[in-house]
Amino acid sequence: MNLKQAYVAEIAERLRTRREVVQLFGVGFTVVVVEPLHSWQEEDDVVAARKPVVRLETLPDGKVLVKTGKVELGQGSRTLIAQCVAEEMGIPVDRVRVEMGNTDTCPDDGGTWASSLTPETVPLVRAAAAKGKVRDPKDWTTLGTSIPSLDARAIVTGAKKFASDWMPAGVMAAKIVRPEAYRAKLVSFSAPPEVKIVKEGDLLAVVAPTMREAEAAAAKVKAVWSDVPIEKPDFRANAEAPVLVPGARYPGIVSRGSLEVGLSLAAKKLKAEYRVANIAQVPLEPWAAVARWTGERLRVKSGSQAPFLVRRELSQHFRMAEAKVTVRTIDPGSGYGGRQRGECELEAARIAKLAQAPVRLAWSREEEFERAYFRPAGVIDVASGIDAAGRIVHWDFHNYNSGASSLGLPYDVDNFYCGFHKSKAVLKEGSYRSLAAVANNFARESHIDELALLAGEDPHECRLKNLKDARLKEVLTRGAEKFGWKKRKGDIACNLEKDARLSLFVEIDEKIKLRRVVCVFDCGAILNPGNLRNQVEGAIVQGLGGALFERIEHDGTRIVNNRLSRY
Amino acid sequence: MGLTGAKYGCGEGTCGACTVLVDGVAKRACLIRVKDVAGRAVTTIEGLEREGKLHPVQEAFVSEEAFQCGYCTPGMILGAVALLAKNPKPSEQAIRQNLDAHICRCGTYPRIVAAVELAARGGKR
């Protein structure tokens, strides 16, 4: 059984068990009082009660409580999950309450990553709510409609509490004393006697009753560091051979036919190299976590995208059972893939343990720039060939370091090879909005434009000629109509990822200033059109930053643009 | 005071998430000291709603769904309220210029501009 099969089997098993739990209660749902968790005491009660984790409960006020390990990052998951339950149970959305991202009370739906909410979690929630056959999309009355965000009023009134707003009474503020360098070893330090220091290895922090006091105290600490230089990246020299792991979400090799045959058919050949830079997530809310130890139990609240993964990280670090660790996500001020690992949570938990007090650690913007992870940098080499008719006959594509998502070739080519080479990153790297797909799309679509030029063809025609996939051709055709491709100068890209098809047309002026964007997106049945439009617009706007001006810069030791005013 | 509506985003007055109104003028809370506002009226996002009724700019943000995660929204709304107080019928360009010093990392800028325009039209589409 491969990883994916194991995961699917696990979900199926959980679903089956949950059904049984539900059936035990005869009427269909358990009846328990569950209020939002505002105090540690209430959390202790939940832990003490040790209730089995169920997907759905009916509350005494008649509302239905649905639980998911997924979290709300601004992508609209809370509203979508409520819509699923409302649709399948035939009740209004305002009768549904959603509890998210609590490792004690919610099913582990995997991290909030890889656009997996819709294809993986939505079917589970719908099945649980339907208690049998889910409703056909043609009969939908709630799903498929633009239900506004359930958080809207709380957002515009400032009532919505984000992870960094969580400041329970009696919690100490922590401030870490950091080196200026990106990486450094602590050599020595000194501090006035009134400053409460905690230290473990290279972790040096100050703990005080308030954030202000903690910051003032940290400024009094004199630490001597031995800087570790940031190496120059050499992604090709440090590359590993591509490997195909069965069942991988993003296969490391996608190929067909023979490159030798392809090359022999090529009338014109082209070689090019594409580079992508490290860019920062910069969620507007920098990371924050509250950690509290009670005996051998650890409780953490933070803005994690992956509370179950962070729970595992914490339990492994402290060598304790996962059951003794609780991670609860408070909605963060977004994440874009950047909050999957528990850097801040681990620091908060370590400091809380050392200080023997509950601790809140809130990173500054500079810390967020330096201590979180970046979108992977990389190099992509493409060698290709076209025949006399302008058809692509040869495609040899190698991505070094920047990820395997969207590695494959949506074009109709008989002989091609696409490989992702793991390599040595010089900065800490991880997921980013739109996955790693940006890097491969950028290289592939830029190269297609160059091939069109080589063939003396229109880039839109060149794409249509080399495509077989009817849905992808349709988004390109519709996009060209909307954009007015025949009359206006512009650039195109298209993509086939996770069974969705997308075309994007942009018009830029000679100063590389963006004039217009047209996007046509075929993503299958749409669960919430209003929210989808918001997400696509937002992704385009954010993507422009990476395309036009964002990049992380360092001087060999320090990240030099570690502030919004410099980034 | 337990008011968490004004958000920390950068600590250097670049992102606008901490925007509050000081005597009706938009200011970056991270750049002003408490003593600077002694005796002056400070309005945070929590003070915009009146008797359970949203301010027209808040209404417009809801109506345009001009947010995703919502972290920038309190500052964005207060920036817009200050702009409309000064210039009740701003051009699209004036809105863009005025809110340029506010960052929405989710990228909802087109909706934010539309929301401010909607509020300027008194909520009429």
Side-chain angles (χ1 to χ4, degrees), chain A residues 408-437:
Chain A
L409 190 60
Y411 297 96
D412 181 33
V413 180
D414 288 333
N415 300 292
F416 72 87
Y417 178 92
C418 304
F420 164 58
H421 303 255
K422 276 191 187 164
S423 186
K424 192 177 164 194
V426 297
L427 303 177
K428 194 153 52 164
E429 296 178 339
S431 298
Y432 189 80
R433 194 174 192 173
S434 298
L435 328 157

PDB file of all heavy atoms in Angstrom, chain A residues 408-437:
ATOM      1  N   GLY A 408       4.603  18.211 -14.990  1.00  0.00           N
ATOM      2  CA  GLY A 408       4.262  17.517 -16.232  1.00  0.00           C
ATOM      3  C   GLY A 408       3.948  18.451 -17.375  1.00  0.00           C
ATOM      4  O   GLY A 408       3.937  19.677 -17.238  1.00  0.00           O
ATOM      5  N   LEU A 409       3.689  17.853 -18.535  1.00  0.00           N
ATOM      6  CA  LEU A 409       3.494  18.628 -19.751  1.00  0.00           C
ATOM      7  C   LEU A 409       2.039  18.491 -20.198  1.00  0.00           C
ATOM      8  O   LEU A 409       1.599  17.398 -20.547  1.00  0.00           O
ATOM      9  CB  LEU A 409       4.443  18.079 -20.823  1.00  0.00           C
ATOM     10  CG  LEU A 409       4.603  18.866 -22.108  1.00  0.00           C
ATOM     11  CD1 LEU A 409       5.135  20.254 -21.836  1.00  0.00           C
ATOM     12  CD2 LEU A 409       5.534  18.119 -23.055  1.00  0.00           C
ATOM     13  N   PRO A 410       1.277  19.570 -20.194  1.00  0.00           N
ATOM     14  CA  PRO A 410      -0.120  19.443 -20.621  1.00  0.00           C
ATOM     15  C   PRO A 410      -0.245  19.338 -22.141  1.00  0.00           C
ATOM     16  O   PRO A 410      -1.312  19.034 -22.651  1.00  0.00           O
ATOM     17  CB  PRO A 410      -0.770  20.735 -20.108  1.00  0.00           C
ATOM     18  CG  PRO A 410       0.338  21.720 -19.995  1.00  0.00           C
ATOM     19  CD  PRO A 410       1.589  20.941 -19.724  1.00  0.00           C
ATOM     20  N   TYR A 411       0.851  19.608 -22.861  1.00  0.00           N
ATOM     21  CA  TYR A 411       0.799  19.597 -24.327  1.00  0.00           C
ATOM     22  C   TYR A 411       0.899  18.168 -24.847  1.00  0.00           C
ATOM     23  O   TYR A 411       1.389  17.267 -24.170  1.00  0.00           O
ATOM     24  CB  TYR A 411       1.915  20.490 -24.900  1.00  0.00           C
ATOM     25  CG  TYR A 411       1.728  21.922 -24.487  1.00  0.00           C
ATOM     26  CD1 TYR A 411       2.398  22.444 -23.382  1.00  0.00           C
ATOM     27  CD2 TYR A 411       0.837  22.746 -25.160  1.00  0.00           C
ATOM     28  CE1 TYR A 411       2.198  23.745 -22.968  1.00  0.00           C
ATOM     29  CE2 TYR A 411       0.623  24.053 -24.756  1.00  0.00           C
ATOM     30  CZ  TYR A 411       1.300  24.542 -23.659  1.00  0.00           C
ATOM     31  OH  TYR A 411       1.082  25.833 -23.249  1.00  0.00           O
ATOM     32  N   ASP A 412       0.432  18.011 -26.070  1.00  0.00           N
ATOM     33  CA  ASP A 412       0.354  16.686 -26.677  1.00  0.00           C
ATOM     34  C   ASP A 412       1.686  16.370 -27.362  1.00  0.00           C
ATOM     35  O   ASP A 412       1.875  16.688 -28.533  1.00  0.00           O
ATOM     36  CB  ASP A 412      -0.808  16.711 -27.691  1.00  0.00           C
ATOM     37  CG  ASP A 412      -0.975  15.359 -28.343  1.00  0.00           C
ATOM     38  OD1 ASP A 412      -0.722  14.341 -27.669  1.00  0.00           O
ATOM     39  OD2 ASP A 412      -1.339  15.331 -29.536  1.00  0.00           O
ATOM     40  N   VAL A 413       2.597  15.795 -26.611  1.00  0.00           N
ATOM     41  CA  VAL A 413       3.939  15.501 -27.119  1.00  0.00           C
ATOM     42  C   VAL A 413       4.221  14.019 -26.890  1.00  0.00           C
ATOM     43  O   VAL A 413       3.976  13.502 -25.797  1.00  0.00           O
ATOM     44  CB  VAL A 413       4.993  16.380 -26.385  1.00  0.00           C
ATOM     45  CG1 VAL A 413       6.395  16.089 -26.912  1.00  0.00           C
ATOM     46  CG2 VAL A 413       4.657  17.857 -26.536  1.00  0.00           C
ATOM     47  N   ASP A 414       4.706  13.334 -27.932  1.00  0.00           N
ATOM     48  CA  ASP A 414       4.922  11.890 -27.819  1.00  0.00           C
ATOM     49  C   ASP A 414       6.188  11.537 -27.046  1.00  0.00           C
ATOM     50  O   ASP A 414       6.256  10.495 -26.407  1.00  0.00           O
ATOM     51  CB  ASP A 414       4.998  11.259 -29.217  1.00  0.00           C
ATOM     52  CG  ASP A 414       3.632  11.235 -29.890  1.00  0.00           C
ATOM     53  OD1 ASP A 414       2.626  11.194 -29.151  1.00  0.00           O
ATOM     54  OD2 ASP A 414       3.575  11.289 -31.132  1.00  0.00           O
ATOM     55  N   ASN A 415       7.172  12.411 -27.135  1.00  0.00           N
ATOM     56  CA  ASN A 415       8.439  12.080 -26.496  1.00  0.00           C
ATOM     57  C   ASN A 415       8.885  13.211 -25.572  1.00  0.00           C
ATOM     58  O   ASN A 415       9.312  14.260 -26.043  1.00  0.00           O
ATOM     59  CB  ASN A 415       9.507  11.833 -27.565  1.00  0.00           C
ATOM     60  CG  ASN A 415       9.130  10.685 -28.486  1.00  0.00           C
ATOM     61  OD1 ASN A 415       9.094   9.528 -28.081  1.00  0.00           O
ATOM     62  ND2 ASN A 415       8.785  11.013 -29.725  1.00  0.00           N
ATOM     63  N   PHE A 416       8.737  12.964 -24.311  1.00  0.00           N
ATOM     64  CA  PHE A 416       9.155  14.020 -23.373  1.00  0.00           C
ATOM     65  C   PHE A 416       9.608  13.440 -22.040  1.00  0.00           C
ATOM     66  O   PHE A 416       9.280  12.293 -21.688  1.00  0.00           O
ATOM     67  CB  PHE A 416       8.028  15.037 -23.163  1.00  0.00           C
ATOM     68  CG  PHE A 416       6.862  14.538 -22.341  1.00  0.00           C
ATOM     69  CD1 PHE A 416       6.881  14.635 -20.962  1.00  0.00           C
ATOM     70  CD2 PHE A 416       5.741  13.977 -22.957  1.00  0.00           C
ATOM     71  CE1 PHE A 416       5.801  14.182 -20.201  1.00  0.00           C
ATOM     72  CE2 PHE A 416       4.670  13.519 -22.200  1.00  0.00           C
ATOM     73  CZ  PHE A 416       4.698  13.624 -20.821  1.00  0.00           C
ATOM     74  N   TYR A 417      10.376  14.229 -21.333  1.00  0.00           N
ATOM     75  CA  TYR A 417      10.813  13.856 -19.987  1.00  0.00           C
ATOM     76  C   TYR A 417      10.803  15.117 -19.126  1.00  0.00           C
ATOM     77  O   TYR A 417      11.353  16.149 -19.513  1.00  0.00           O
ATOM     78  CB  TYR A 417      12.240  13.282 -20.023  1.00  0.00           C
ATOM     79  CG  TYR A 417      12.780  12.924 -18.646  1.00  0.00           C
ATOM     80  CD1 TYR A 417      12.628  11.637 -18.131  1.00  0.00           C
ATOM     81  CD2 TYR A 417      13.424  13.887 -17.856  1.00  0.00           C
ATOM     82  CE1 TYR A 417      13.117  11.322 -16.855  1.00  0.00           C
ATOM     83  CE2 TYR A 417      13.897  13.574 -16.591  1.00  0.00           C
ATOM     84  CZ  TYR A 417      13.744  12.285 -16.098  1.00  0.00           C
ATOM     85  OH  TYR A 417      14.209  11.973 -14.840  1.00  0.00           O
ATOM     86  N   CYS A 418      10.144  15.034 -17.964  1.00  0.00           N
ATOM     87  CA  CYS A 418      10.166  16.134 -16.996  1.00  0.00           C
ATOM     88  C   CYS A 418      10.625  15.550 -15.669  1.00  0.00           C
ATOM     89  O   CYS A 418      10.013  14.600 -15.163  1.00  0.00           O
ATOM     90  CB  CYS A 418       8.785  16.752 -16.814  1.00  0.00           C
ATOM     91  SG  CYS A 418       8.024  17.336 -18.327  1.00  0.00           S
ATOM     92  N   GLY A 419      11.680  16.100 -15.114  1.00  0.00           N
ATOM     93  CA  GLY A 419      12.202  15.567 -13.858  1.00  0.00           C
ATOM     94  C   GLY A 419      12.447  16.660 -12.839  1.00  0.00           C
ATOM     95  O   GLY A 419      12.874  17.764 -13.170  1.00  0.00           O
ATOM     96  N   PHE A 420      12.125  16.341 -11.601  1.00  0.00           N
ATOM     97  CA  PHE A 420      12.415  17.264 -10.501  1.00  0.00           C
ATOM     98  C   PHE A 420      13.613  16.737  -9.722  1.00  0.00           C
ATOM     99  O   PHE A 420      13.589  15.602  -9.232  1.00  0.00           O
ATOM    100  CB  PHE A 420      11.213  17.406  -9.573  1.00  0.00           C
ATOM    101  CG  PHE A 420      11.557  18.015  -8.232  1.00  0.00           C
ATOM    102  CD1 PHE A 420      12.140  19.282  -8.177  1.00  0.00           C
ATOM    103  CD2 PHE A 420      11.320  17.338  -7.045  1.00  0.00           C
ATOM    104  CE1 PHE A 420      12.486  19.849  -6.952  1.00  0.00           C
ATOM    105  CE2 PHE A 420      11.663  17.900  -5.813  1.00  0.00           C
ATOM    106  CZ  PHE A 420      12.241  19.155  -5.777  1.00  0.00           C
ATOM    107  N   HIS A 421      14.658  17.552  -9.645  1.00  0.00           N
ATOM    108  CA  HIS A 421      15.867  17.182  -8.906  1.00  0.00           C
ATOM    109  C   HIS A 421      15.859  17.879  -7.557  1.00  0.00           C
ATOM    110  O   HIS A 421      15.892  19.119  -7.502  1.00  0.00           O
ATOM    111  CB  HIS A 421      17.116  17.643  -9.659  1.00  0.00           C
ATOM    112  CG  HIS A 421      17.238  17.110 -11.050  1.00  0.00           C
ATOM    113  ND1 HIS A 421      18.114  16.113 -11.385  1.00  0.00           N
ATOM    114  CD2 HIS A 421      16.591  17.447 -12.202  1.00  0.00           C
ATOM    115  CE1 HIS A 421      18.024  15.863 -12.692  1.00  0.00           C
ATOM    116  NE2 HIS A 421      17.106  16.655 -13.212  1.00  0.00           N
ATOM    117  N   LYS A 422      15.824  17.089  -6.512  1.00  0.00           N
ATOM    118  CA  LYS A 422      16.027  17.710  -5.190  1.00  0.00           C
ATOM    119  C   LYS A 422      17.438  18.271  -5.159  1.00  0.00           C
ATOM    120  O   LYS A 422      18.350  17.687  -5.734  1.00  0.00           O
ATOM    121  CB  LYS A 422      15.903  16.646  -4.095  1.00  0.00           C
ATOM    122  CG  LYS A 422      14.490  16.380  -3.674  1.00  0.00           C
ATOM    123  CD  LYS A 422      14.487  15.521  -2.421  1.00  0.00           C
ATOM    124  CE  LYS A 422      13.063  15.122  -2.107  1.00  0.00           C
ATOM    125  NZ  LYS A 422      12.998  14.010  -1.168  1.00  0.00           N
ATOM    126  N   SER A 423      17.597  19.379  -4.468  1.00  0.00           N
ATOM    127  CA  SER A 423      18.939  19.953  -4.391  1.00  0.00           C
ATOM    128  C   SER A 423      19.139  20.599  -3.031  1.00  0.00           C
ATOM    129  O   SER A 423      18.306  20.449  -2.144  1.00  0.00           O
ATOM    130  CB  SER A 423      19.130  20.958  -5.527  1.00  0.00           C
ATOM    131  OG  SER A 423      20.457  21.408  -5.536  1.00  0.00           O
ATOM    132  N   LYS A 424      20.248  21.297  -2.909  1.00  0.00           N
ATOM    133  CA  LYS A 424      20.584  21.867  -1.609  1.00  0.00           C
ATOM    134  C   LYS A 424      20.167  23.332  -1.566  1.00  0.00           C
ATOM    135  O   LYS A 424      20.727  24.169  -2.273  1.00  0.00           O
ATOM    136  CB  LYS A 424      22.090  21.737  -1.394  1.00  0.00           C
ATOM    137  CG  LYS A 424      22.519  22.033   0.012  1.00  0.00           C
ATOM    138  CD  LYS A 424      24.013  21.802   0.131  1.00  0.00           C
ATOM    139  CE  LYS A 424      24.563  22.453   1.376  1.00  0.00           C
ATOM    140  NZ  LYS A 424      26.020  22.527   1.340  1.00  0.00           N
ATOM    141  N   ALA A 425      19.190  23.615  -0.722  1.00  0.00           N
ATOM    142  CA  ALA A 425      18.741  25.000  -0.561  1.00  0.00           C
ATOM    143  C   ALA A 425      19.684  25.706   0.402  1.00  0.00           C
ATOM    144  O   ALA A 425      20.230  25.080   1.312  1.00  0.00           O
ATOM    145  CB  ALA A 425      17.324  25.019  -0.010  1.00  0.00           C
ATOM    146  N   VAL A 426      19.884  26.998   0.213  1.00  0.00           N
ATOM    147  CA  VAL A 426      20.755  27.713   1.140  1.00  0.00           C
ATOM    148  C   VAL A 426      19.955  28.440   2.222  1.00  0.00           C
ATOM    149  O   VAL A 426      20.476  28.760   3.275  1.00  0.00           O
ATOM    150  CB  VAL A 426      21.713  28.696   0.414  1.00  0.00           C
ATOM    151  CG1 VAL A 426      22.650  27.932  -0.494  1.00  0.00           C
ATOM    152  CG2 VAL A 426      20.945  29.749  -0.366  1.00  0.00           C
ATOM    153  N   LEU A 427      18.693  28.709   1.937  1.00  0.00           N
ATOM    154  CA  LEU A 427      17.808  29.298   2.948  1.00  0.00           C
ATOM    155  C   LEU A 427      16.732  28.275   3.276  1.00  0.00           C
ATOM    156  O   LEU A 427      16.522  27.321   2.533  1.00  0.00           O
ATOM    157  CB  LEU A 427      17.167  30.588   2.418  1.00  0.00           C
ATOM    158  CG  LEU A 427      18.118  31.693   1.955  1.00  0.00           C
ATOM    159  CD1 LEU A 427      17.338  32.871   1.379  1.00  0.00           C
ATOM    160  CD2 LEU A 427      19.022  32.161   3.083  1.00  0.00           C
ATOM    161  N   LYS A 428      16.032  28.496   4.370  1.00  0.00           N
ATOM    162  CA  LYS A 428      14.962  27.569   4.745  1.00  0.00           C
ATOM    163  C   LYS A 428      13.791  27.757   3.766  1.00  0.00           C
ATOM    164  O   LYS A 428      13.329  28.868   3.550  1.00  0.00           O
ATOM    165  CB  LYS A 428      14.516  27.860   6.179  1.00  0.00           C
ATOM    166  CG  LYS A 428      13.677  26.756   6.753  1.00  0.00           C
ATOM    167  CD  LYS A 428      13.763  26.655   8.259  1.00  0.00           C
ATOM    168  CE  LYS A 428      13.509  27.954   8.987  1.00  0.00           C
ATOM    169  NZ  LYS A 428      13.220  27.774  10.407  1.00  0.00           N
ATOM    170  N   GLU A 429      13.358  26.653   3.171  1.00  0.00           N
ATOM    171  CA  GLU A 429      12.338  26.749   2.119  1.00  0.00           C
ATOM    172  C   GLU A 429      11.155  25.844   2.418  1.00  0.00           C
ATOM    173  O   GLU A 429      11.289  24.836   3.102  1.00  0.00           O
ATOM    174  CB  GLU A 429      12.952  26.341   0.772  1.00  0.00           C
ATOM    175  CG  GLU A 429      14.067  27.283   0.321  1.00  0.00           C
ATOM    176  CD  GLU A 429      14.705  26.868  -0.984  1.00  0.00           C
ATOM    177  OE1 GLU A 429      14.594  25.676  -1.346  1.00  0.00           O
ATOM    178  OE2 GLU A 429      15.314  27.729  -1.643  1.00  0.00           O
ATOM    179  N   GLY A 430      10.008  26.221   1.882  1.00  0.00           N
ATOM    180  CA  GLY A 430       8.807  25.411   2.072  1.00  0.00           C
ATOM    181  C   GLY A 430       7.710  25.838   1.124  1.00  0.00           C
ATOM    182  O   GLY A 430       7.961  26.525   0.132  1.00  0.00           O
ATOM    183  N   SER A 431       6.495  25.466   1.478  1.00  0.00           N
ATOM    184  CA  SER A 431       5.369  25.693   0.575  1.00  0.00           C
ATOM    185  C   SER A 431       5.065  27.174   0.408  1.00  0.00           C
ATOM    186  O   SER A 431       5.426  27.998   1.236  1.00  0.00           O
ATOM    187  CB  SER A 431       4.121  25.005   1.122  1.00  0.00           C
ATOM    188  OG  SER A 431       4.361  23.634   1.188  1.00  0.00           O
ATOM    189  N   TYR A 432       4.355  27.461  -0.673  1.00  0.00           N
ATOM    190  CA  TYR A 432       4.000  28.828  -0.999  1.00  0.00           C
ATOM    191  C   TYR A 432       2.662  28.801  -1.715  1.00  0.00           C
ATOM    192  O   TYR A 432       2.275  27.787  -2.283  1.00  0.00           O
ATOM    193  CB  TYR A 432       5.072  29.442  -1.901  1.00  0.00           C
ATOM    194  CG  TYR A 432       4.901  30.923  -2.105  1.00  0.00           C
ATOM    195  CD1 TYR A 432       5.316  31.818  -1.137  1.00  0.00           C
ATOM    196  CD2 TYR A 432       4.294  31.411  -3.248  1.00  0.00           C
ATOM    197  CE1 TYR A 432       5.133  33.175  -1.308  1.00  0.00           C
ATOM    198  CE2 TYR A 432       4.113  32.768  -3.421  1.00  0.00           C
ATOM    199  CZ  TYR A 432       4.536  33.650  -2.453  1.00  0.00           C
ATOM    200  OH  TYR A 432       4.338  34.981  -2.617  1.00  0.00           O
ATOM    201  N   ARG A 433       1.943  29.933  -1.692  1.00  0.00           N
ATOM    202  CA  ARG A 433       0.657  29.981  -2.380  1.00  0.00           C
ATOM    203  C   ARG A 433       0.818  29.531  -3.836  1.00  0.00           C
ATOM    204  O   ARG A 433       1.796  29.865  -4.482  1.00  0.00           O
ATOM    205  CB  ARG A 433       0.125  31.420  -2.365  1.00  0.00           C
ATOM    206  CG  ARG A 433      -1.346  31.517  -2.761  1.00  0.00           C
ATOM    207  CD  ARG A 433      -1.850  32.933  -2.583  1.00  0.00           C
ATOM    208  NE  ARG A 433      -3.296  33.009  -2.673  1.00  0.00           N
ATOM    209  CZ  ARG A 433      -4.002  34.114  -2.416  1.00  0.00           C
ATOM    210  NH1 ARG A 433      -3.393  35.206  -2.043  1.00  0.00           N
ATOM    211  NH2 ARG A 433      -5.302  34.124  -2.519  1.00  0.00           N
ATOM    212  N   SER A 434      -0.179  28.799  -4.325  1.00  0.00           N
ATOM    213  CA  SER A 434      -0.115  28.191  -5.655  1.00  0.00           C
ATOM    214  C   SER A 434       0.954  27.110  -5.724  1.00  0.00           C
ATOM    215  O   SER A 434       1.404  26.760  -6.797  1.00  0.00           O
ATOM    216  CB  SER A 434       0.150  29.208  -6.761  1.00  0.00           C
ATOM    217  OG  SER A 434      -0.886  30.129  -6.826  1.00  0.00           O
ATOM    218  N   LEU A 435       1.333  26.599  -4.577  1.00  0.00           N
ATOM    219  CA  LEU A 435       2.242  25.464  -4.532  1.00  0.00           C
ATOM    220  C   LEU A 435       3.555  25.838  -5.202  1.00  0.00           C
ATOM    221  O   LEU A 435       3.896  26.981  -5.312  1.00  0.00           O
ATOM    222  CB  LEU A 435       1.568  24.264  -5.220  1.00  0.00           C
ATOM    223  CG  LEU A 435       0.044  24.260  -5.041  1.00  0.00           C
ATOM    224  CD1 LEU A 435      -0.632  23.479  -6.088  1.00  0.00           C
ATOM    225  CD2 LEU A 435      -0.293  23.800  -3.651  1.00  0.00           C
ATOM    226  N   ALA A 436       4.286  24.827  -5.652  1.00  0.00           N
ATOM    227  CA  ALA A 436       5.521  25.132  -6.375  1.00  0.00           C
ATOM    228  C   ALA A 436       5.203  25.289  -7.850  1.00  0.00           C
ATOM    229  O   ALA A 436       6.088  25.430  -8.680  1.00  0.00           O
ATOM    230  CB  ALA A 436       6.523  24.015  -6.171  1.00  0.00           C
ATOM    231  N   ALA A 437       3.911  25.251  -8.148  1.00  0.00           N
ATOM    232  CA  ALA A 437       3.497  25.221  -9.549  1.00  0.00           C
ATOM    233  C   ALA A 437       3.987  26.435 -10.323  1.00  0.00           C
ATOM    234  O   ALA A 437       4.220  26.359 -11.524  1.00  0.00           O
ATOM    235  CB  ALA A 437       1.975  25.128  -9.633  1.00  0.00           C
TER     236      ALA A 437
END
